[in-house]
């Protein structure tokens, strides 16, 4: 069975601060990894994804994530956050040959103070 | 707007009622999903349909009954629910139910069971 842990439930930052949200997963095989974001009052939407190749993945709005296989991690980063990044962020994983059964982490609520 | 719509957006029902949630996608996708998002719990996959056939039932109680009449529509029929079933129910779709397909989410139906 696969599982995902997001250790930070709530994060508060000031604008221009750097962001790193942790995501660790457990799964014995090859994985696909995702970060989704939910802005206040909006749908869940994809921020970035990793399937294979370069473990450093760049997504929308200046976000990036690094897949470190040895650490079973896929942390999300942004060098300088903006007030508009206030949202809830979800890490998700599915096994490469397990169909599209996403397993989500519990989410991290990010508040960016102007 | 992701191309996935859900109705109703809010629903309040008693434990003896029967109601249905509707999801429609305008993306030409072939796979559709139901998720449950409860307070303080990770997003949980409930059902997966691929080309109108149910491919996953994630140990969901029989008081939740899905129906997929065609690739564009997905229903979740509810009967004799419990208060603990109160949650946000999200629908998603993807081109296929393959692990590297991005899922597109609807806005959800906020369900309250009295």
């Amino acid at each position: 069975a696969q599982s995902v842990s997001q250790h930070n439930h709530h994060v508060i930052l000031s604008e221009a601060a750097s962001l790193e949200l942790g995501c660790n997963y457990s799964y014995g095989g090859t994985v696909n990894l995702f970060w989704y974001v939910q802005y206040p009052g909006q749908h869940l939407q994809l921020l970035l994804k990793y399937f294979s190749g370069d473990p450093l993945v760049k997504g929308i709005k200046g976000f990036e994530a690094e897949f470190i296989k040895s650490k079973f991690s896929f942390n999300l980063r942004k060098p300088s956050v903006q007030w508009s990044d206030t949202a809830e962020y979800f890490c998700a994983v599915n096994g490469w040959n397990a169909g599209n059964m996403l397993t989500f982490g519990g989410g991290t609520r990010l508040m960016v103070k102007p | 707007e992701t191309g996935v719509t859900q109705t109703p957006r809010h629903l309040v029902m008693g434990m003896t009622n029967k109601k249905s949630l509707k999801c429609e996608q305008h993306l030409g996708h072939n796979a559709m999903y139901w998720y449950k998002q409860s307070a303080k719990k990770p997003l949980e996959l409930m059902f997966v349909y691929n080309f109108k056939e149910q491919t996953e039932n994630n140990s969901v109680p029989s008081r939740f009954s899905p129906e997929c009449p065609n690739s564009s529509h997905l229903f979740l029929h509810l009967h004799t629910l419990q208060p603990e079933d109160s949650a946000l129910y999200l629908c998603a779709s993807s081109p296929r139910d393959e692990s590297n397909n991005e899922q597109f989410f609807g806005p959800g139906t906020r369900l309250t069971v009295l």
Side-chain angles (χ1 to χ4, degrees), chain B residues 17-34:
Chain B
N17 292 158
K18 289 184 180 181
K19 297 287 184 183
S20 295
L21 310 185
K22 179 182 177 182
C23 175
E24 183 173 1
Q25 56 94 3
H26 311 275
L27 301 169
H29 289 168
N30 295 302
M32 295 187 78
Y33 312 80
W34 280 116

Side-chain angles (χ1 to χ4, degrees), chain A residues 13-112:
Chain A
L13 295 173
S14 298
E15 275 195 316
S18 64
L19 170 72
E20 181 161 2
L21 301 182
C23 173
N24 287 90
Y25 68 91
S26 66
Y27 183 74
T30 304
V31 293
N32 300 303
L33 297 156
F34 305 79
W35 275 97
Y36 281 84
V37 61
Q38 189 168 30
Y39 297 103
Q42 294 191 27
H43 308 171
L44 264 174
Q45 57 186 284
L46 185 70
L47 204 53
L48 49 79
K49 59 188 178 185
Y50 170 80
F51 296 149
S52 62
D54 188 344
L56 184 62
V57 180
K58 295 194 183 297
I60 61 172
K61 304 186 180 184
F63 285 90
E64 64 178 31
E66 185 175 11
F67 171 48
I68 302 179
K69 188 175 181 179
S70 61
K71 295 186 177 180
F72 298 90
S73 69
F74 190 55
N75 292 355
L76 181 71
R77 301 193 294 247
K78 186 171 183 178
S80 175
V81 294
Q82 301 172 309
W83 176 78
S84 58
D85 292 325
T86 295
E88 189 160 15
Y89 293 81
F90 296 89
C91 182
V93 63
N94 62 23
W96 181 73
N97 61 351
N100 206 351
M101 294 179 60
L102 282 177
T103 298
F104 282 83
T108 298
R109 286 188 185 274
L110 171 66
M111 178 184 293
V112 180

Side-chain angles (χ1 to χ4, degrees), chain B residues 53-80:
Chain B
E53 299 296 320
Q54 188 180 128
T55 56
E56 291 296 337
N57 175 338
N58 201 18
S59 303
V60 180
S62 59
R63 57 186 184 269
F64 295 91
S65 174
E67 178 189 4
C68 189
N70 55 61
S71 293
S72 299
H73 294 86
L74 185 65
F75 295 89
L76 188 62
H77 304 300
L78 315 171
H79 63 97
T80 59

